[in-house]
Amino acid sequence: MLWILRSGRKLTATQIADSLEISVRTVYRYIDALCASGVPVVAESGHDGGIRILESFKETPLFFNSVEVKALVDAFKFAQGAGYPYTEELESALKKVENGLREEQRHELFLGSNGLDVIAPSRLPSVVPVLRDLEQAVKDGLTVRITYRNANTEQDDGREVDPYGLAYDRNEWYVVGFCHRSQAARTFRVDRIAWLELTEARFEKPERFSASVYFRDQSEREREADGPLTLIRIEGDPDTLNAVCRHWHMRHYLTERTDREARFLLDVSTMNKYLPMYLMTFGTAIRIREPLELKRQIQELAYGIAQHYDEDSD
């Protein structure tokens, strides 16, 4: 009935009822439902009366204004760049929305959304079907059997997992779930799942489970010790410090941040294990002010790399 009214014609309840093959009483019930949903339906009595919707509502499809439609198109680009497994369905939905626009509105949408592009990282084609199967398993509470490629070993290993949820972080998709072999919750990178099969076994997901909360808690648990914390001071330009602070370990230990400096509190064992190699990737864009031990470790790493390539030149 809404699409009929969007044609701009003023129609009687009888005309609408005949067109949709419903009763006049049902027409008025639908009008009440549309008004309750925020659609500005106007019913005028008299000789020239009838049912219509306000012109302002007809300017855009359903409840979307032009900026909202642009936001949907831009969101599609981000979803596509992230490897969202339902981009085809999302694109189909957007086409339905765009079909409801007038020609000048389509042109305006093209001009408004043509200036934004999302550069997607290269992904294996197999990731999309795996993501679909994982999401289905999460929804239905089904255990999955997977073959997983560990980062530090060349050999794939099989295991059964109860998938609790999916998360997208730092250009990668992850599934968080209960690993039957480890008898504990684990995180798996989806692009490292070489093979997946849904089983008939069912599981109960923990109440109010959140993958993002799990990631944060996991970072806390991966601290190497509960001993005294050390202050880490890093200087750099704002953009570089933003990149440092986004690291999934570092972002949870940030205590103070200015335009030129970031301060973290972290135990020494975790610092020694993760930070020297990670911070060295920023080269001369950052400078370690404290502690001296961290500066020394980075110097040794850099010297070792320089020696390695110096030997190659000989």
Side-chain angles (χ1 to χ4, degrees):
M1 192 169 80
L2 182 60
W3 284 103
I4 291 175
L5 292 174
R6 285 188 72 249
S7 66
R9 293 184 298 138
K10 190 185 297 184
L11 302 170
T12 66
T14 301
Q15 288 173 324
I16 296 174
D18 291 341
S19 176
L20 298 177
E21 298 182 353
I22 58 177
S23 67
V24 172
R25 179 178 295 180
T26 301
V27 170
Y28 284 113
R29 189 170 70 248
Y30 286 173
I31 289 174
D32 291 338
L34 288 172
C35 290
S37 300
V39 180
V41 180
V42 178
E44 299 173 337
S45 59
H47 176 69
D48 294 325
I51 299 167
R52 63 184 179 88
I53 57 176
L54 295 180
E55 190 70 26
S56 59
F57 181 80
K58 292 186 292 181
E59 291 177 355
T60 51
L62 300 181
F63 300 101
F64 302 126
N65 60 40
S66 58
V67 178
E68 290 170 337
V69 176
K70 175 191 179 308
L72 289 174
V73 174
D74 290 344
F76 165 73
K77 294 178 182 179
F78 279 101
Q80 192 176 41
Y84 178 64
Y86 295 98
T87 53
E88 290 185 5
E89 288 81 356
L90 182 55
E91 185 175 23
S92 175
L94 280 175
K95 287 180 179 178
K96 292 178 182 178
V97 173
E98 291 179 22
N99 286 338
L101 298 174
R102 298 192 304 270
E103 187 60 35
E104 61 269 23
Q105 290 176 312
R106 290 196 189 98
H107 182 65
E108 182 184 352
L109 176 61
F110 172 78
L111 294 177
S113 61
N114 196 39
L116 186 147
D117 282 314
V118 177
I119 300 175
S122 59
R123 301 183 187 281
L124 296 173
S126 59
V127 170
V128 170
V130 171
L131 281 171
R132 282 178 176 260
D133 287 344
L134 284 171
E135 192 170 39
Q136 188 66 41
V138 172
K139 175 179 175 292
D140 296 338
L142 295 175
T143 300
V144 297
R145 191 174 293 115
I146 65 172
T147 301
Y148 191 71
R149 294 188 297 267
N150 287 298
N152 301 322
T153 61
E154 296 182 359
Q155 185 176 2
D156 297 348
D157 65 275
R159 61 184 75 199
E160 291 189 348
V161 178
D162 299 337
Y164 293 159
L166 294 167
Y168 182 74
D169 185 41
R170 294 167 295 147
N171 291 327
E172 295 294 348
W173 284 95
Y174 298 85
V175 58
V176 181
F178 181 81
C179 176
H180 289 211
R181 192 178 73 178
S182 303
Q183 286 297 295
R186 291 288 185 267
T187 303
F188 303 94
R189 259 180 55 171
V190 175
D191 63 323
R192 292 180 183 162
I193 298 177
W195 175 81
L196 180 144
E197 177 187 39
L198 275 67
T199 71
E200 296 182 356
R202 295 189 173 274
F203 67 90
E204 290 291 332
K205 185 169 71 172
E207 188 177 358
R208 297 180 180 177
F209 174 82
S210 167
S212 60
V213 172
Y214 175 85
F215 266 69
R216 185 186 65 235
D217 294 343
Q218 182 75 359
S219 181
E220 286 286 346
R221 286 196 297 270
E222 286 189 2
R223 281 182 48 182
E224 297 297 315
D226 294 324
L229 302 178
T230 185
L231 173 65
I232 301 170
R233 290 177 53 214
I234 303 174
E235 284 186 356
D237 63 78
D239 289 339
T240 304
L241 288 180
N242 286 341
V244 173
C245 295
R246 281 197 298 264
H247 186 267
W248 79 313
H249 275 296
M250 302 294 285
R251 64 189 178 193
H252 299 302
Y253 306 122
L254 181 67
T255 60
E256 188 177 346
R257 168 68 196 277
T258 67
D259 285 344
R260 303 298 304 179
E261 182 177 291
R263 297 188 175 199
F264 307 86
L265 279 177
L266 190 61
D267 64 272
V268 175
S269 298
T270 303
M271 178 191 75
N272 292 339
K273 181 174 182 179
Y274 294 104
L275 263 58
M277 184 62 72
Y278 171 65
L279 294 177
M280 196 176 68
T281 62
F282 290 94
T284 58
I286 63 171
R287 185 179 296 275
I288 310 300
R289 290 302 185 186
E290 293 184 53
L292 294 177
E293 173 64 17
L294 181 57
K295 291 177 65 173
R296 184 189 61 79
Q297 291 183 53
I298 295 176
Q299 287 173 346
E300 291 179 354
L301 276 173
Y303 179 76
I305 293 174
Q307 286 290 102
H308 171 75
Y309 285 103
D310 187 55
E311 291 172 359
D312 286 349
S313 63
D314 294 341

